[in-house]
């Protein structure tokens, strides 16, 4: 890309961009493309897609605003950024909804064409914010995005290749071209992508590429932009990288577990936001022998998985909170029959249908306790989009080793957001091979389906088709060892204890909990789990930079909890537990350790920002509201 | 027929060592004996046979079979059997369920297993009552029935299981009677032979809570008048001397007329007809077995089998893309290298 000499090329360590528009404006796609361009440029990055649950809310209204935020950096980063440096607002509703987040002095690019009376009224503006002084604190670029796009595509429209509406729709590519120019991003990859995407309608591919170029050329030729910015490649751990979302990584983790266990993957599920993309991804992996079954409902989905597990498959189902509620009776059956299967819960805001497209961590107690009877089940939580890969393998490992259903917690934020992922070496992945039982294990040549392995307390996995090992399992209480139905009092106590002991055994094999405490001087401990890992890591890092000695642990295993947890929590004067629910883990930690854990909680459907966490940790951990003495930050994660 | 040539199995090879715990006189005993006696003749192997059941009296069935089995949760047996059948084409998967299990709580799964045509054989024991919960009316109980939960009579219109299965376009639908061992054996043999989902309604007497519900079909002096036996290729006539015949009305429904009035209009039974319309009209002849009721195979047609189609897709994908390479999967999309 050429550089106009008159302009200043500013080196930045990082930047946060937010694209916001109507849900028909293609903001998710625009954000995705900019993400890929940034990833290919070698930046570390994190994204935060945010879109309405309605497929198509009324155009131009607040309800219809869709946004995509991207944080990219020349350093290792952990969050999609708290506040954007650049906001692209495609209409008044998008501006109204997102202006508040924009950093003071930040760059605001608006589609000036959309700021006419009707749209202003739809958004609820009495006056035009571009004219009434609302945006004077920002570097505002009013760009006639619609008109410029139409003009760029005039030839194609006149030639009858496109209609006006189709041409207008390319305005998101114009915006992408402009922002790409601002940040010195090459466009080749997006061009290739557009050509492939519109292979069947090459005229649309041409139009989108033309709009993309027009946006870039506009930036270059207009004199409105004084600065361009550059964020250099991050110094990441050497290796091969790709950009990946949580749902995609989770699906790949399941395929990897199938390959490493030698068991065919059977995935039964019922579509639900935000878990459906796992089904979509796995349904494309049939050449791995992956069977996907779109069941008639959530109960059938887990039912099919129980059948597949009985038959010897690596059996997985996934859903979100409402679907997990429906699956709970069958989860109890899987637990009583002691079959290995994985139940993925991609959490969203609740209760009931709640906030389908937003994120929350409020299913923790549901998956731990939301079943009838004493029904313990291991629970594993993924911490970042890329970590969904490892977490999926870990959930499969536990299920296969201990012959138990396992819950894998992800959430809406992890599911849809993306980050660079350093590809693992396939040979380094855990060996998950299992051996089916093929011989009788009773003294008289009988088969005892509930005779346990003393190390894991797992029962034998004898699959149908094995001669001589015929047996019947079911939800009625089992007699210890024989597996026959038993209503005997002492036996029920023993079986209840055995099932609990088996789950507890998972903790035996876990390594010590890693504690992040670089100086070893901390008196305050921050505890988190799941997707809050990034913002908590960033907040603690920043606090340390400002002289606050703070230690941090982040739990992968929520059940059983690590053995060293009690000792760890007691080691500190103050323990703060931050989570996107109303204090579920905090309550568990208090109950288990009797430590006075201080909860910090919020359920707005949005992930934590590192700035608010700094504030909370300072207040709850250090007993003062002064999070920071200066506002300088080295990685810009704190917009104060 | 003596099985698959690997030695002769007998019904004892399919009976588990568990004590059978149904009420004395329960119709389930007869069905169990028939199935145990039938399996050796079908060439079945105990280790390759799986019985999946839901909840209810009938659903205890797997415990009494020396095969693999799952006694699962209420209504969900078809879903569990589907997952097993999809992943294990080498197995013979049977579902044992009751009218409450299959048609109330499990209605959804039944319909979907049938319309997908999963290769499973569903035996639905219909006693028109909830036995395990001690005598409430069931979805097949006749309108007006007075039971514990319906002191003024049931106001639920009953479901016709055969019509429901045909409505789901099940590819094999039949009806038989618990104590008619020969008929039940014939029907189950045909059901087992069928590729895809088979649905067999078996009238089963609950002598504790709904005794005699099928008396009209079973009693010596009434059964000849009331059993309309369906035989492929044969005109549908019945009665002690074949004096009744089934004919089609102009609107496609069917009615019973004296044989002498029927002339050439007697319906000739053809379970292999692709269109389920005639079978459906036959099913509508009796909504409850208190009068003439067809028994036998209503429909038996070939159609693509879900689990076979799925496996074909897996094979096609492997053929097109080669066997899955994990490294290649992980590297798909845009990758870049960071050099240290």
């Amino acid at each position: 890309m050429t550089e106009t000499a008159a302009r200043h090329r500013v080196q930045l360590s990082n930047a946060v961009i937010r694209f916001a528009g109507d849900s028909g404006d293609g903001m998710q796609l625009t954000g995705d493309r900019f993400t890929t361009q940034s990833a290919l440029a070698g930046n570390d990055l994190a994204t935060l897609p945010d879109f309405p649950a309605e497929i198509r809310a009324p155009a131009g209204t607040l309800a219809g605003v869709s946004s995509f935020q991207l944080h990219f950096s020349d350093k290792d980063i952990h969050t999609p950024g708290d506040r954007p440096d650049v906001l692209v607002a495609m209409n008044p509703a998008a501006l109204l909804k997102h202006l508040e987040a924009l950093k003071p002095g930040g760059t605001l690019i608006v589609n000036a064409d959309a700021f006419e009376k009707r749209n202003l009224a739809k958004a609820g503006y009495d006056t035009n914010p571009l004219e009434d002084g609302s945006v004077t604190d920002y570097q505002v670029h009013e760009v006639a995005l619609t008109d410029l796009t139409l003009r760029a595509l005039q030839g194609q429209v006149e030639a009858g290749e496109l209609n006006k509406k189709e041409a207008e729709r390319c305005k998101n590519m114009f915006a992408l071209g402009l922002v790409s120019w601002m940040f010195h991003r090459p466009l080749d990859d997006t061009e290739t992508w557009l050509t492939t995407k519109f292979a069947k309608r090459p005229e649309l591919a041409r139009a989108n590429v033309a709009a993309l170029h027009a946006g870039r050329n506009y930036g270059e030729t207009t004199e409105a932009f004084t600065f361009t910015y550059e964020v250099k490649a991050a110094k990441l751990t050497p290796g091969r990288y790709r950009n990946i979302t949580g749902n995609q990584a989770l699906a790949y983790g399941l395929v990897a577990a199938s390959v490493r266990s030698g068991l065919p993957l059977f995935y039964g599920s019922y579509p639900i936001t935000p878990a459906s993309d796992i089904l979509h991804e796995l349904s494309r992996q049939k050449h791995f022998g992956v069977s996907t079954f779109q069941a008639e409902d959530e109960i059938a989905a887990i039912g099919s998985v129980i059948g597949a597990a009985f038959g010897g498959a690596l059996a997985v189902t996934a859903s979100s909170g409402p679907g997990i509620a429906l699956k709970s009776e069958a989860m109890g059956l899987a637990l009583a029959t002691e079959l290995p299967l994985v139940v993925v819960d991609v959490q969203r805001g609740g209760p009931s249908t709640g906030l389908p497209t937003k994120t929350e961590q409020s299913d923790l107690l549901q998956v731990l306790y939301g079943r009838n009877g004493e029904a313990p089940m291991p629970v594993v939580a993924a911490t970042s989009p890329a970590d969904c890969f490892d977490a999926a393998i870990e959930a499969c490992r536990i299920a296969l080793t201990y012959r138990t259903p396992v819950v894998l917690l992800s959430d809406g934020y992890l599911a849809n957001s993306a980050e660079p992922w350093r590809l693992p070496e396939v040979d380094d992945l855990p060996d998950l091979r299992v051996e089916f039982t093929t011989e009788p294990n009773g003294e008289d040549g009988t088969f005892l389906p509930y005779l346990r392995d003393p190390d894991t307390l797992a029962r034998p996995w004898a699959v149908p088709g094995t001669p001589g090992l015929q047996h019947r399992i079911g939800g009625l209480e089992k007699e210890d060892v024989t597996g026959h139905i038993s209503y005997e009092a002492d036996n029920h106590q023993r079986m209840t204890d055995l099932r609990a002991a088996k789950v507890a055994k998972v903790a035996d094999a876990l390594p010590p909990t890693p504690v992040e405490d670089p100086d070893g001087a901390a008196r305050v401990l921050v505890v988190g789990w799941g997707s809050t890992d990034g913002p908590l890591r960033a907040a603690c890092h920043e606090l340390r930079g400002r002289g606050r000695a703070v230690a941090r642990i982040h739990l992968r295993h929520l059940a059983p909890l690590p053995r060293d947890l009690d000792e760890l929590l007691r080691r500190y004067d103050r323990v703060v537990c931050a989570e996107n629910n109303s204090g579920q883990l905090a309550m568990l930690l208090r109950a288990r350790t009797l430590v006075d854990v201080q909860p910090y909680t919020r359920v707005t459907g949005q992930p934590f920002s590192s700035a608010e966490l700094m504030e909370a940790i300072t207040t709850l951990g250090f007993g003062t509201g002064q999070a920071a003495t200066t506002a300088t930050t080295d990685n810009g994660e704190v917009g104060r | 027929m003596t099985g698959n040539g690997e030695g002769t199995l007998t019904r004892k090879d399919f009976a588990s060592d568990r004590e059978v715990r149904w009420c004395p006189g329960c119709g389930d005993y007869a069905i169990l004996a028939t199935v145990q006696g039938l399996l050796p003749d079908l060439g079945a192997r105990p280790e390759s046979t799986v019985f999946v059941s839901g909840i209810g009296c009938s659903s205890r069935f797997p415990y009494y079979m020396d095969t693999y089995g799952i006694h699962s949760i209420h209504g969900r047996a078809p879903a569990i059997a589907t997952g097993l059948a999809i992943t294990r084409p080498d197995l013979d998967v049977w579902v044992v369920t009751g009218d409450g299990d299959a048609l109330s709580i499990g209605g959804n799964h039944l319909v979907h297993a049938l319309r997908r045509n999963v290769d499973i054989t569903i035996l639905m024991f219909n006693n028109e009552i909830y036995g395990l919960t001690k005598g409430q009316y069931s979805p097949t109980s006749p309108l007006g029935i007075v039971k514990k939960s319906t002191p003024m009579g049931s106001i639920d219109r009953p479901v016709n299981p055969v019509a429901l299965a045909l409505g789901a376009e099940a590819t094999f639908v039949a009806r038989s009677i618990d104590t008619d061992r020969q008929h039940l054996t014939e029907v189950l043999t045909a059901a087992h032979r069928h590729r895809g989902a088979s649905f067999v309604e078996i009238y089963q007497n609950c002598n504790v809570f709904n005794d005699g519900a099928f008396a009209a079909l079973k009693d010596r002096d009434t059964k000849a008048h009331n059993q309309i036996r369906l035989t492929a290729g044969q005109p549908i006539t019945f009665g002690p001397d074949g004096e009744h015949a089934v004919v089609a009305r102009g609107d496609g429904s069917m009615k019973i007329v004296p044989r002498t009035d029927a002339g050439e209009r007697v319906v000739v039974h053809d379970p292999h007809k692709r269109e389920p319309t005639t079978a459906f009209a036959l099913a509508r002849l009796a909504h409850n077995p208190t009068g003439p009721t067809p028994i036998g195979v209503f429909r038996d047609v070939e159609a693509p089998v879900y689990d076979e189609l799925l496996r074909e897709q897996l094979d096609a994908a492997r053929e097109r893309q080669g066997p899955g390479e994990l490294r290649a999967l992980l590297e798909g999309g845009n990758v870049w290298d960071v050099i240290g």
Side-chain angles (χ1 to χ4, degrees):
Chain A
M1 195 186 321
T2 54
E3 183 62 23
T4 310
R7 292 211 179 82
H8 304 283
R9 185 169 177 143
V10 181
Q11 291 293 332
L12 292 178
S13 174
N14 75 328
V16 177
I17 296 187
R18 188 183 291 182
F19 297 94
D22 193 69
S23 50
D25 284 340
M27 292 295 95
Q28 300 303 320
L29 192 144
T30 308
D32 269 340
R33 292 319 307 163
F34 198 77
T35 302
T36 302
Q37 291 173 186
S38 302
L40 291 174
N43 295 134
D44 192 14
L45 57 88
T47 69
L48 176 60
D50 189 11
F51 42 88
E54 292 78 11
I55 298 302
R56 197 70 185 86
T61 62
L62 282 174
V65 175
S66 168
S67 72
F68 187 103
Q69 182 162 312
L70 167 69
H71 182 193
F72 53 103
S73 172
D74 63 0
K75 289 197 182 61
D76 190 16
I77 52 163
H78 314 292
T79 76
D82 291 353
R83 306 182 67 177
D85 301 288
V86 179
L87 172 65
V88 178
M90 302 296 278
N91 66 11
L95 182 71
L96 184 63
K97 196 155 175 181
H98 293 288
L99 184 65
E100 206 185 344
L102 185 62
K103 283 181 194 165
T107 300
L108 173 65
I109 299 173
V110 294
N111 178 13
D113 293 332
F115 282 72
E116 36 81 38
K117 246 188 192 153
R118 212 165 134 258
N119 278 332
L120 289 167
K122 269 197 224 165
Y125 276 117
D126 294 332
T127 55
N128 188 340
L130 304 180
E131 291 161 3
D132 66 6
S134 303
V135 296
T136 45
D137 289 347
Y138 310 97
Q139 301 174 47
V140 184
H141 299 282
E142 293 181 36
V143 185
L145 280 171
T146 311
D147 183 51
L148 288 166
T149 304
L150 281 177
R151 276 199 265 162
L153 305 180
Q154 198 173 2
Q156 274 188 275
V157 173
E158 279 169 6
E161 287 184 22
L162 306 171
N163 59 41
K164 195 177 160 215
K165 207 163 187 186
E166 286 169 327
E168 248 187 62
R169 264 202 219 120
C170 295
K171 65 181 182 291
N172 63 330
M173 286 298 116
F174 188 99
L176 178 63
L178 174 58
V179 177
S180 298
W181 169 82
M182 277 179 71
F183 286 92
H184 298 266
R185 293 272 178 260
L187 298 176
D188 336 13
D189 179 71
T190 296
E191 284 172 30
T192 311
W193 182 84
L194 285 168
T195 311
T196 316
K197 181 178 163 71
F198 295 112
K200 284 188 185 148
R201 292 201 57 191
E203 70 282 5
L204 278 187
R206 274 202 302 283
N208 276 286
V209 170
L212 188 68
H213 284 217
R216 182 190 61 192
N217 297 339
Y218 174 83
E220 206 162 293
T221 48
T222 179
E223 295 190 351
F225 294 86
T226 324
F227 300 101
T228 67
Y229 306 93
E230 188 174 40
V231 177
K232 291 218 154 77
K235 284 179 195 63
L236 299 171
T237 311
R240 177 157 285 188
Y241 284 79
R242 71 178 285 179
N243 200 30
I244 199 155
T245 65
N247 273 345
Q248 198 175 16
L250 202 153
Y252 286 1
L254 296 175
V255 175
S258 163
V259 170
R260 298 292 288 173
S261 63
L263 301 176
L265 177 61
F266 177 86
Y267 184 82
S269 89
Y270 185 78
I272 185 169
T273 302
S276 298
D277 282 338
I278 303 172
L279 172 63
H280 305 161
E281 185 62 51
L282 286 175
S283 62
R284 297 169 52 215
Q285 308 305 337
K286 291 194 165 63
H287 57 305
F288 280 92
V290 176
S291 304
T292 53
F293 174 63
Q294 184 174 314
E296 59 270 21
D297 63 23
E298 298 283 0
I299 303 173
I302 188 166
S304 70
V305 159
I306 289 173
F310 186 58
L314 176 63
V316 183
T317 185
S319 189
S320 190
I324 300 293
L326 288 169
K327 291 180 198 290
S328 62
E329 186 193 11
M331 287 164 80
L333 176 68
L335 187 143
T337 53
E338 304 194 36
L339 288 169
L341 56 94
V342 173
V343 179
V344 181
D345 179 359
V346 186
Q347 301 163 96
R348 64 195 214 183
S352 189
T353 313
L355 308 172
T357 60
K358 310 294 180 192
T359 198
E360 210 163 284
Q361 297 183 297
S362 46
D363 294 348
L364 179 60
L365 293 181
Q366 181 191 7
V367 299
L368 286 172
Y369 300 115
R371 288 175 290 280
N372 63 299
E374 290 286 334
M377 219 176 260
V379 177
V380 170
T383 60
S384 75
D387 179 63
C388 286
F389 179 83
D390 295 321
I393 293 177
E394 173 65 356
C396 293
R397 180 191 72 81
I398 295 172
L400 294 172
T401 306
Y402 299 90
R403 310 280 147 78
T404 174
V406 174
V407 176
L408 168 57
L409 288 172
S410 175
D411 62 35
Y413 166 56
L414 295 180
N416 294 317
S417 60
E419 66 177 351
W421 176 40
R422 189 164 70 92
L423 302 184
E425 288 299 330
V426 169
D427 294 340
D428 295 343
L429 297 175
D431 182 351
L432 301 179
R433 272 174 298 186
V434 287
E435 281 186 17
F436 295 133
T437 302
T438 54
E439 299 296 329
N441 56 0
E443 281 179 5
D444 50 355
T446 55
F447 176 61
L448 302 168
Y450 280 75
L451 183 67
R452 293 165 193 281
D453 178 316
D455 291 334
T456 58
L457 294 181
R459 72 177 193 86
W461 196 3
V463 301
T466 317
L469 305 191
Q470 293 93 290
H471 63 284
R472 276 67 55 194
I473 56 175
L476 288 174
E477 184 59 288
K478 300 285 162 290
E479 185 178 73
D480 190 15
V481 181
T482 66
H484 296 319
I485 298 172
S486 169
Y487 301 131
E488 206 256 315
D490 291 343
N491 179 73
H492 177 53
Q493 182 71 56
R494 187 158 61 249
M495 290 300 280
T496 304
D497 295 343
L498 275 168
R499 286 188 287 261
K502 183 171 83 161
V503 170
K505 279 232 171 239
V506 173
D508 289 351
L510 300 179
T513 305
V515 183
E516 182 189 293
D517 182 9
D519 345 325
R523 300 309 311 150
V524 172
L525 176 70
V526 175
V527 185
W529 66 278
S531 67
T532 55
D533 187 47
L536 280 170
R537 187 185 298 269
C540 289
H541 176 82
E542 187 65 23
L543 281 172
R544 282 183 213 113
R546 300 180 192 189
R548 299 283 200 193
V550 58
R552 189 176 80 92
I553 58 174
H554 205 77
L555 298 175
R556 149 82 86 219
H557 297 91
L558 281 315
L561 286 164
R563 293 238 187 279
D564 56 5
L565 195 64
D566 300 65
E567 187 271 324
L568 260 172
L569 260 59
R570 293 206 182 98
R571 210 192 283 169
Y572 296 87
D573 296 338
R574 282 284 197 157
V575 178
V576 178
C577 180
E579 47 191 331
N580 285 126
N581 56 41
S582 294
Q584 300 186 13
L585 178 65
M587 182 182 80
L588 293 174
L589 294 179
R590 281 169 162 257
R592 166 159 157 166
T593 65
L594 298 181
V595 168
D596 185 19
V597 174
Q598 302 295 311
Y600 177 70
T601 70
R602 175 160 71 66
V603 284
T604 57
Q606 298 295 328
F608 286 135
S609 70
S610 51
E612 71 171 310
L613 288 173
M614 285 172 63
E615 186 76 47
I617 295 165
T618 309
T619 307
L620 297 170
F622 296 94
T624 145
Q626 299 279 305
T629 49
T630 67
T632 54
T633 98
D634 64 344
N635 64 3
E637 294 208 7
V638 184
R640 295 170 82 41
Chain B
M1 213 170 110
T2 54
N4 58 4
E6 287 181 22
T8 310
L9 297 176
T10 69
R11 57 170 294 186
K12 280 188 179 162
D13 295 299
F14 288 90
S16 78
D17 61 353
R18 297 291 92 196
E19 186 193 347
V20 182
R21 291 187 179 173
W22 285 311
C23 302
C26 175
D28 290 354
Y29 286 97
I31 304 173
L32 178 67
T34 301
V35 172
Q36 286 171 341
L38 164 80
L39 287 173
D41 291 338
L42 297 179
R45 304 288 309 173
E47 69 270 18
S48 302
T49 305
V50 186
F51 280 87
V52 183
S53 66
I55 296 295
C57 298
S58 63
S59 289
R60 291 206 150 213
F61 196 95
Y63 291 120
Y64 309 133
M65 299 296 297
D66 188 18
T67 62
Y68 286 87
I70 304 182
H71 176 221
S72 72
I73 44 178
H74 207 15
R76 319 304 173 191
I80 292 170
T82 296
L84 183 61
I86 288 174
T87 46
R88 293 292 304 275
D90 55 317
L91 301 175
D92 217 350
V93 182
W94 300 71
V95 169
V96 176
T97 178
D99 44 318
D101 194 54
L103 301 170
S104 261
I105 189 166
N108 188 26
H109 309 303
L110 178 69
V111 165
H112 290 282
L114 294 177
R115 61 105 181 161
R116 284 191 189 104
N117 205 26
V118 181
D119 195 11
I120 56 178
T121 306
I122 302 171
L123 311 185
M124 195 203 80
F125 302 6
N126 182 6
N127 55 19
E128 299 189 346
I129 200 74
Y130 282 169
L132 197 72
T133 49
K134 300 187 181 172
Q136 300 84 1
Y137 74 103
S138 94
T140 52
S141 298
L143 198 63
I145 194 171
V146 174
K147 291 291 170 187
K148 276 188 183 138
S149 56
T150 52
M152 295 176 70
S154 162
I155 52 173
D156 273 28
R157 264 165 44 83
V159 65
N160 178 334
V162 168
L164 179 84
L166 289 166
E169 299 193 24
T171 53
F172 184 98
V173 182
R175 177 187 287 147
S176 189
I177 300 171
D178 54 1
T179 48
D180 191 339
R181 186 160 185 167
Q182 196 195 333
H183 187 264
L184 183 57
T185 300
E186 283 169 20
V187 163
L188 293 184
T189 302
H192 179 262
R193 193 191 308 122
H194 176 74
R195 285 172 56 256
S198 309
F199 176 81
V200 183
E201 178 190 20
I202 305 169
Y203 284 144
Q204 177 264 344
N205 191 45
C206 173
N207 58 324
V208 175
F209 295 108
N210 202 24
D211 195 24
F214 312 105
L217 291 191
K218 291 164 85 167
D219 286 358
R220 189 185 306 238
D221 30 331
T222 54
K223 75 177 188 186
H225 294 279
N226 288 319
Q227 282 191 12
I228 308 175
R229 290 189 167 238
L230 302 174
T231 310
Q234 296 297 313
I236 307 177
T237 60
F238 67 102
D241 303 307
E243 64 268 43
H244 307 299
V246 172
V247 298
R249 285 196 183 103
D251 64 1
S253 66
M254 296 204 179
K255 63 176 175 179
I256 296 162
V257 298
R259 176 75 184 89
T260 45
D261 293 357
E264 295 303 301
R265 293 183 299 138
V266 182
V267 175
V268 175
H269 186 48
D270 180 9
H272 308 304
K273 224 182 209 175
R274 281 228 70 80
E275 278 300 315
T277 320
T278 312
F280 187 81
L282 267 179
R284 298 267 303 147
L285 263 184
H287 207 77
N288 270 108
T290 50
T293 300
I295 62 168
V297 178
F298 286 75
R299 187 173 199 232
D300 183 2
V301 297
E302 273 193 39
V305 177
Y306 182 91
D307 24 327
E308 287 174 11
L309 293 174
L310 180 70
R311 284 189 292 275
E312 278 168 23
Q313 286 196 342
L314 299 189
D315 292 342
R318 279 195 202 98
E319 209 163 283
R320 208 164 43 226
Q321 294 166 268
E325 258 311 318
L326 191 51
R327 186 77 202 170
L329 173 72
L330 305 187
E331 288 196 345
N334 292 306
V335 296
W336 68 95
D337 291 309
V338 172
I339 317 255

